[in-house]
Amino acid sequence: MALATPRNFAIQQVFEILGRKPIDKSILFYLTNTKTSGLENTVEMVYPTGGRGNVYIGGGFSHSRRATLNVEVATFNTNVMALQAGTELYEGSSDIQYYEVMTAGTDGKTIDAMSLERVDRLIAALKDESYQPKPSRRTYIPKKNGKLRPLGIPSIDDKLVQEVVRMLLESIYENSFEDTSHGFRPNKSCHTALRMIQNRFTRCKWFVEGDIKGFFDNIDHNVMIGILRKRIKDERFLRLIRKFLNAGYMEDNQVHQSYSGTPQGGIISPILANIYLDQFDKYMAEFKKRFDRGNKRAVNVEYRKLSDKRIRLKRKLAKAKTEEEKQSLLESIWELDKVHKSIPCKDPMDENFRRLQYVRYADDFLIGIIGAKEDAQAVKQEIGTYIAGQLKLELSDEKTLVTKATDRAKFLGFEIRVTPQSNHTKKTKSGSTARNYSGHVMLEVPTSAIQKKLLELGAMRIDVRNGTEIWQPTHRGKLVGRTDLSILDQYNGEIRGFCNYYAIANNRSKLHKFRYIMEYSFYKTLACKYRTTKRKIIVQYRIGKDIGVKFQDKHGKERIRLLWQGSLARDPYPLGKEADIIHKPKGILKKPSLGARLKANRCEWCGKETSVLVMHQVRTLKELDESQPWAAFMKKINRKTLVVCESCHTKIHSADCE
């Protein structure tokens, strides 16, 4: 392989592997964009199918055509070329390996090549406490407000250890968590939190919208360990957790220490967050007991007077002897009923009756209050004092608000309001007149959420005509290079996911606009792909009354997949009451675990009996090249993992396995 010199990084080179068949027969790389950072040079490698990543070359290229690669190539989205660490590269080098990589940490390692020996080394290091977590790899994702959220990607060994720690912590704490906590818990979700609000927040007068400022980044390590120490007596286990908390992160090739917080993206971060905020949940449970007052509201005095008067009139009616007298009394009762039903039976401003309801999801929480505005403001002040004093955290001034319940509070992407007191009456099914039910909770999908989602996907543009915003479907250029089926699956997944999330919304009919925009964006994307019109695409892909794509499955049978046209009627229990519960299928033979396969002492590819086995793993099966026998075998058994001997593993990575 010919390496470019610093003077000419625009050299285009076709890499050929001596006697080997590459995954892509015409892989072209462009060595461009060099930058110096400390003792390392970064070379950006541009993959012809759109992937790109960085290769770190230790010591630079100087003016020779020889260099040593110190770190493995960064991950791509597809099959990539990987250069092993420590490999000397020069003109004519054949030390190039092709394989599909998974997300790597700061050490460059992935789950690939996992073995029992590797696990045993981890166990031994944990026992003698020599195990030291590596700094996580810092990356950023956009937030709703336009800011960036930092994520820490741990190394693969740290992920394995963290998963074990998570399982232990969950077994200790899960049963003791409050039912008001819904984030990062089994059989809990956003929908369970919202359903609790609908059931418990009836007739609330005020909302307190709560958000903890920079929660994951500001968790106090000493407070965290102190909370854990209340139930965990094993100091070695606590020291291990503290090591993870203090591991720090790497950004721009520099290691940064972490003196507070737990990294977002770490496997143990969600359970640690719940353990930390469980103190707040229990505080709110006790606060509710102190706040609640009275068994029931006092009866409205005027309502009681009218009720008594109505009873007296009915008694007179029973004793009336003439039809004229009866008719007069009936008219008086009817007039009285109209006034009677327009007055609340209970005193809505009863000072001796108060109620508080509380629901939390991660670091966001919502409090519903039956009481005066002063009560809501006092609650906000008290919980702010508790969080600052006991948990060393701070409420966000921007997001912690006191909102009138008849207005709209924002929680988990929904707008939540309580219907105002209604004095109107309506006919019941039995024919009698009754007052309208009021004070119930409405969950609504905001128009801004629909607009933001469509703009985020690139499926829409906004035109302004005469001061009015017009939503226009647009094609999505990033999808044009895909197959028709892949484009359809992309749209179906996005439409289904968004609509299912808002399935419990009372105004779910607003989602018709979302589906309409996505549908016509799909037409325009296909029209752009084939350089034709939207109308012709609709005619070409119409199947009966629906739109779909015909394709062949892996058995060669012709299939049809339709554009999503599910019902947009409100479903208070989306996908059933147990939608958030993952059921274990019955009557299906359980596949052997990875541990059992590693302990079988047999290579699953060549059949060799050996105690030294490693695991080969790929990201997806559909992108494997079936011309490679091992790839065809993995597709046949429908597994992304293959337990093989070291010899077979080397051959697989060298594309030499036959």
Side-chain angles (χ1 to χ4, degrees):
M1 166 180 132
L3 287 177
T5 65
R7 299 175 181 176
N8 188 11
F9 275 93
I11 294 178
Q12 173 180 326
Q13 184 72 38
V14 179
F15 296 105
E16 295 181 356
I17 305 193
L18 302 178
R20 303 173 184 174
K21 184 180 180 181
I23 292 176
D24 191 326
K25 296 180 180 180
S26 60
I27 297 181
L28 301 178
F29 287 94
Y30 301 84
L31 303 182
T32 60
N33 225 10
T34 62
K35 61 180 181 180
T36 302
S37 179
L39 299 176
E40 295 181 335
N41 283 347
T42 302
V43 180
E44 185 180 49
M45 306 183 73
V46 183
Y47 197 58
T49 58
R52 82 177 47 228
N54 294 326
V55 180
Y56 301 97
I57 309 293
F61 289 110
S62 65
H63 290 284
S64 69
R65 289 180 171 268
R66 186 181 182 113
T68 301
L69 188 68
N70 290 334
V71 190
E72 290 186 8
V73 72
T75 57
F76 291 87
N77 294 326
T78 57
N79 293 322
V80 303
M81 185 185 80
L83 307 172
Q84 294 298 309
T87 301
E88 290 192 344
L89 304 178
Y90 51 91
E91 284 190 346
S93 172
S94 60
D95 295 315
I96 305 174
Q97 299 179 346
Y98 287 84
Y99 67 101
E100 187 170 336
V101 296
M102 280 62 70
T103 304
T106 52
D107 59 355
K109 296 180 180 179
T110 67
I111 193 67
D112 188 63
M114 176 55 63
S115 64
L116 291 177
E117 182 184 359
R118 189 169 168 184
V119 174
D120 290 337
R121 286 199 301 268
L122 282 174
I123 294 173
L126 290 170
K127 284 182 177 179
D128 61 19
E129 297 191 66
S130 62
Y131 178 80
Q132 183 60 47
K134 296 178 177 59
S136 59
R137 179 163 60 86
R138 175 62 63 92
T139 186
Y140 295 90
I141 61 172
K143 297 170 67 175
K144 293 181 179 179
N145 58 7
K147 298 180 180 179
L148 295 176
R149 184 189 304 277
L151 293 182
I153 301 175
S155 67
I156 185 59
D157 288 348
D158 291 345
K159 288 181 182 178
L160 294 173
V161 177
Q162 284 191 33
E163 175 61 19
V164 175
V165 173
R166 184 201 64 80
M167 293 169 65
L168 291 171
L169 290 174
E170 188 173 284
S171 64
I172 296 171
Y173 285 95
E174 175 58 34
N175 292 332
S176 66
F177 287 153
E178 299 291 320
D179 68 337
T180 52
S181 170
H182 294 263
F184 317 121
R185 292 184 62 191
N187 303 332
K188 297 276 192 176
S189 70
C190 296
H191 282 170
T192 60
L194 292 164
R195 286 202 290 267
M196 180 174 282
I197 291 173
Q198 253 187 336
N199 294 333
R200 296 187 181 183
F201 283 52
T202 304
R203 298 189 184 277
C204 282
K205 302 298 181 182
W206 298 93
F207 290 136
V208 179
E209 306 172 56
D211 180 82
I212 299 175
K213 187 176 181 180
F215 170 65
F216 284 93
D217 295 330
N218 294 313
I219 289 177
D220 189 281
H221 292 175
N222 293 327
V223 175
M224 182 81 258
I225 297 299
I227 294 171
L228 293 171
R229 191 172 277 122
K230 293 177 181 178
R231 299 192 63 177
I232 299 173
K233 304 304 179 184
D234 190 341
E235 289 295 327
R236 292 194 304 172
F237 188 67
L238 295 177
R239 285 195 292 270
L240 175 62
I241 293 177
R242 186 180 281 278
K243 284 182 179 180
F244 280 117
L245 294 174
N246 295 334
Y249 62 93
M250 180 172 286
E251 186 176 15
D252 297 330
N253 297 325
Q254 292 184 355
V255 177
H256 301 266
Q257 299 297 323
S258 54
Y259 302 101
S260 64
T262 178
Q264 299 184 61
I267 295 174
I268 62 171
S269 294
I271 184 69
L272 289 178
N274 272 338
I275 294 170
Y276 201 87
L277 288 181
D278 184 58
Q279 306 299 305
F280 180 57
D281 297 338
K282 288 179 168 49
Y283 168 79
M284 290 303 300
E286 293 298 321
F287 187 88
K288 173 179 168 59
K289 293 178 182 178
R290 292 186 280 109
F291 182 89
D292 290 355
R293 182 192 301 164
N295 294 324
K296 57 182 180 180
R297 286 189 178 94
V299 177
N300 190 338
V301 176
E302 188 177 355
Y303 184 89
R304 178 178 288 178
K305 289 180 180 179
L306 291 173
S307 296
D308 293 341
K309 187 176 180 180
R310 189 173 184 274
I311 292 172
R312 290 194 298 269
L313 289 173
K314 281 201 167 186
R315 287 174 180 173
K316 287 183 179 181
L317 180 64
K319 297 178 180 180
K321 296 180 180 180
T322 65
E323 288 295 326
E324 207 175 290
E325 186 181 0
K326 288 181 180 180
Q327 188 62 33
S328 176
L329 288 169
L330 282 172
E331 289 177 359
S332 298
I333 292 172
W334 291 338
E335 291 295 325
L336 189 64
D337 281 343
K338 291 180 182 179
V339 181
H340 189 245
K341 289 174 182 177
S342 66
I343 298 174
C345 61
K346 303 290 185 181
D347 184 4
M349 303 305 295
D350 185 7
E351 296 181 355
N352 296 317
F353 182 84
R354 298 192 311 187
R355 287 292 184 272
L356 182 145
Q357 300 293 343
Y358 162 79
V359 170
R360 180 180 64 83
Y361 188 95
D363 59 334
D364 296 327
F365 59 88
L366 186 68
I367 298 173
I369 293 173
I370 298 178
K373 184 177 182 180
E374 291 74 19
D375 295 328
Q377 292 172 336
V379 169
K380 177 186 173 182
Q381 185 68 32
E382 287 195 43
I383 64 177
T385 303
Y386 173 83
I387 288 176
Q390 300 298 318
L391 301 180
K392 310 298 182 186
L393 297 171
E394 182 183 354
L395 290 177
S396 173
D397 293 331
E398 298 178 358
K399 300 179 180 179
T400 305
L401 309 169
V402 175
T403 308
K404 193 175 182 180
T406 52
D407 296 335
R408 287 171 170 79
K410 295 180 180 179
F411 187 68
L412 299 179
F414 282 75
E415 289 183 345
I416 302 173
R417 66 182 180 91
V418 175
T419 57
Q421 182 68 40
S422 175
N423 297 325
H424 298 288
T425 59
K426 64 178 182 179
K427 288 282 186 179
T428 63
K429 291 182 179 180
S430 62
S432 61
T433 304
R435 70 173 73 231
N436 280 338
Y437 177 62
S438 60
H440 61 284
V441 179
M442 303 290 287
L443 305 176
E444 299 177 342
V445 51
T447 302
S448 59
I450 299 174
Q451 182 186 79
K452 186 175 180 179
K453 186 65 176 179
L454 290 170
L455 292 174
E456 183 183 296
L457 295 173
M460 179 188 79
R461 74 171 188 269
I462 299 177
D463 297 337
V464 180
R465 300 175 186 174
N466 299 324
T468 303
E469 289 187 350
I470 308 295
W471 294 11
Q472 295 287 358
T474 60
H475 75 278
R476 297 165 67 181
K478 294 182 179 179
L479 303 182
V480 169
R482 297 189 184 183
T483 63
D484 294 355
L485 185 63
S486 177
I487 296 173
L488 178 68
D489 288 343
Q490 182 76 22
Y491 275 91
N492 277 349
E494 292 163 349
I495 298 172
R496 186 188 302 109
F498 192 79
C499 292
N500 284 349
Y501 183 75
Y502 286 104
I504 61 177
N506 293 87
N507 64 339
R508 192 171 177 204
S509 59
K510 292 181 70 172
L511 296 179
H512 282 286
K513 191 167 188 177
F514 173 81
R515 188 171 65 182
Y516 170 82
I517 295 291
M518 290 292 287
E519 180 181 347
Y520 277 82
S521 174
F522 171 70
Y523 300 152
K524 289 191 174 185
T525 300
L526 289 180
C528 179
K529 177 180 177 180
Y530 293 107
R531 301 291 191 271
T532 184
T533 63
K534 176 187 66 180
R535 186 179 295 277
K536 291 182 179 179
I537 289 294
I538 295 174
V539 173
Q540 181 180 346
Y541 288 84
R542 183 169 297 282
I543 302 172
K545 295 182 179 180
D546 299 310
I547 298 293
V549 172
K550 297 179 180 179
F551 67 99
Q552 288 187 342
D553 61 12
K554 60 182 180 181
H555 303 295
K557 295 182 178 180
E558 188 163 300
R559 303 287 187 184
I560 296 174
R561 192 166 298 166
L562 300 177
L563 184 67
W564 191 84
Q565 293 290 337
S567 173
L568 292 181
R570 180 175 179 260
D571 185 2
Y573 300 98
L575 306 178
K577 295 182 180 181
E578 299 180 339
D580 305 304
I581 301 175
I582 301 175
H583 298 278
K584 295 181 180 179
K586 297 180 180 179
I588 300 176
L589 294 175
K590 187 178 179 181
K591 293 183 178 180
S593 65
L594 182 59
R597 292 164 62 194
L598 287 169
K599 293 177 180 178
N601 296 333
R602 179 185 290 274
C603 176
E604 294 178 349
W605 176 241
C606 69
K608 178 182 176 182
E609 296 281 349
T610 177
S611 60
V612 184
L613 295 170
V614 297
M615 179 187 70
H616 176 68
Q617 183 170 6
V618 297
R619 189 183 294 274
T620 59
L621 290 174
K622 64 181 180 180
E623 295 181 359
L624 290 179
D625 183 7
E626 293 192 48
S627 63
Q628 299 293 336
W630 63 268
F633 179 71
M634 292 184 73
K635 280 193 172 183
K636 184 178 179 181
I637 64 176
N638 195 30
R639 277 188 167 176
K640 294 190 290 185
T641 59
L642 196 64
V643 176
V644 295
C645 60
E646 288 186 332
S647 175
C648 288
H649 192 243
T650 303
K651 291 178 180 179
I652 288 174
H653 277 263
S654 305
D656 258 350
C657 194
E658 298 180 357

